[in-house]
Amino acid sequence: YGANGRGCQSNYATFLLDAGQYMGLMAEYEDTQFDMYCNYCDHYMQQAYQKWVNNGGHRHLEFEDFKNDHEVQRMLGGDM
């Protein structure tokens, strides 16, 4: 088997899905992931814009607010 060359003499290309079905499922998955990413970004940017509007058009970047933001912590993978 393997190194001596006897491992792929039969039943080596039997799959549960044919390539067409697999490619269709992968394309659908990628479309779904892309839509989820766009929806996330749209929501996040809308919140950032609303915060900017509420601050009178000024951006207040205070480290403590940034550091304690749960969304920032989630994106960075944990506590800061």
Side-chain angles (χ1 to χ4, degrees), residues 3-73:
N4 64 14
R6 295 184 302 148
C8 294
Q9 294 181 10
S10 66
N11 295 328
Y12 60 89
T14 304
F15 300 100
L16 295 175
L17 298 173
D18 67 44
Q21 288 176 319
Y22 174 77
M23 295 303 288
L25 289 171
M26 289 307 295
E28 184 178 329
Y29 171 78
E30 290 296 326
D31 285 345
T32 300
Q33 291 297 106
F34 185 78
D35 288 343
M36 288 171 53
Y37 178 75
C38 287
N39 289 338
Y40 170 79
C41 287
D42 185 46
H43 177 73
Y44 186 79
M45 292 309 293
Q46 185 62 37
Q47 284 183 331
Y49 174 72
Q50 193 59 50
K51 192 174 187 179
W52 179 78
V53 168
N54 291 343
N55 287 331
H58 301 287
R59 191 171 176 202
H60 300 289
L61 294 176
E62 296 186 19
F63 181 70
E64 289 301 315
D65 292 337
F66 177 78
K67 185 175 86 170
N68 296 324
D69 187 288
H70 294 290
E71 187 65 20
V72 170
Q73 290 180 12

